[in-house]
Amino acid sequence: MHPIEGLLAQFSCGIGVKQGYPLSPLFFGLYLNGLEKHLDALDGDNPPQLVDIVVKLLLYANDLALMSETPQRLHKQINVMSKFRVERQLVINVSKTKVVVFEKRRNAAPEFTYRGTTIERVQSLKYLGLKLHSTKGMAVAIDKLTVVGKKAFFALRHRCNDLSIIDPEVMYQLFDSLVRPVLSYACEVWTGCTGAKGLQQAEQVHRMFLRGILTVNKTTSTFAMLGEFGRYPLEYFWWQQTLKYYDRLRESTPNRLLYCAYQTQL
């Protein structure tokens, strides 16, 4: 390690794998294989369902999410997880374990503990790169994406200044390749529930980019700037991606969770 103070002495690490190492999700899958069977014993407690598919938990890469519709069932799931941990000789980092209660408005909820340690209840949680809120759902996701999108835009502008890139066509391509994907992350699922205000908030980054090229002030008409370069608002792209995703969902097989979630929302 090389902090500001200087290079630290060499040390060995006998646990875990390197950040982003491919073995991480592989080991995760091998060690947690069988957890779902342990949770089958709780099926009599009305587990969450999407259409006819029981959703006991969600597993992706090295992330695990236990799903429950009642506090009692979640307590039982945590107990099952504790016993499974002993069998597989695993260590669960309670400080990184959170509880989110999705509801219309925040209410009091019982305390959840793991081996005597209280599991923190939070109002929002970042899952698979998307921020989910306990009462606002995915509506707050755009706030975080806008912040990250601005950082990507400022980094792009700084790099263009360093390399003396002033050709608008090149800058368009760079913006669409480096900044737009950041702002559009998971737009297929949040565009329809964000609202016009949230979409306009993310569009600010696009307007900042256009004003920077034209060197105009904030009062300049957005449509005039878009018309000058023959571009459309990013909202058009987001809705286009959403409609394409909608078409894919309609053609999905009935045994897919995404298709079941789509059918549940109809």
Side-chain angles (χ1 to χ4, degrees), residues 96-254:
K96 292 185 177 180
T97 304
K98 309 297 179 184
V99 172
V100 181
V101 181
F102 293 99
E103 51 195 349
K104 291 184 178 180
R105 59 185 180 189
R106 184 176 174 85
N107 295 304
E111 187 178 81
F112 298 94
T113 61
Y114 173 78
R115 302 185 67 193
T117 302
T118 300
I119 302 176
E120 181 185 6
R121 178 186 174 184
V122 295
Q123 284 192 289
S124 61
L125 181 71
K126 193 174 184 180
Y127 184 69
L128 302 183
L130 197 65
K131 194 171 185 179
L132 305 175
H133 195 274
S134 60
T135 59
K136 301 177 183 178
M138 290 182 291
V140 299
I142 196 67
D143 297 334
K144 182 63 177 179
L145 291 176
T146 301
V147 172
V148 179
K150 286 182 179 180
K151 291 181 179 180
F153 163 68
F154 290 133
L156 171 62
R157 188 172 66 177
H158 180 73
R159 191 60 175 165
C160 287
N161 291 336
D162 289 343
L163 299 176
S164 301
I165 298 177
I166 59 175
D167 187 345
E169 289 294 334
V170 175
M171 297 181 73
Y172 298 155
Q173 295 178 12
L174 291 173
F175 181 89
D176 291 340
S177 300
L178 302 175
V179 181
R180 189 178 71 175
V182 176
L183 291 169
S184 305
Y185 178 75
C187 66
E188 296 87 351
V189 294
W190 55 252
T191 299
C193 61
T194 299
K197 184 177 180 181
L199 298 180
Q200 286 300 313
Q201 178 182 341
E203 182 67 30
Q204 288 178 0
V205 183
H206 191 202
R207 291 197 293 265
M208 290 168 57
F209 167 72
L210 296 175
R211 284 197 299 267
I213 297 179
L214 292 171
T215 62
V216 295
N217 56 41
K218 294 182 179 180
T219 60
T220 304
S221 169
T222 301
F223 293 107
M225 292 189 295
L226 292 169
E228 181 70 22
F229 298 115
R231 294 177 65 87
Y232 294 95
L234 291 181
E235 182 178 353
Y236 285 28
F237 174 76
W238 296 330
W239 279 112
Q240 181 186 52
Q241 296 299 106
T242 302
L243 292 175
K244 288 181 179 179
Y245 186 66
Y246 172 71
D247 287 338
R248 292 199 300 271
L249 280 180
R250 290 195 305 172
E251 298 173 358
S252 297
T253 55

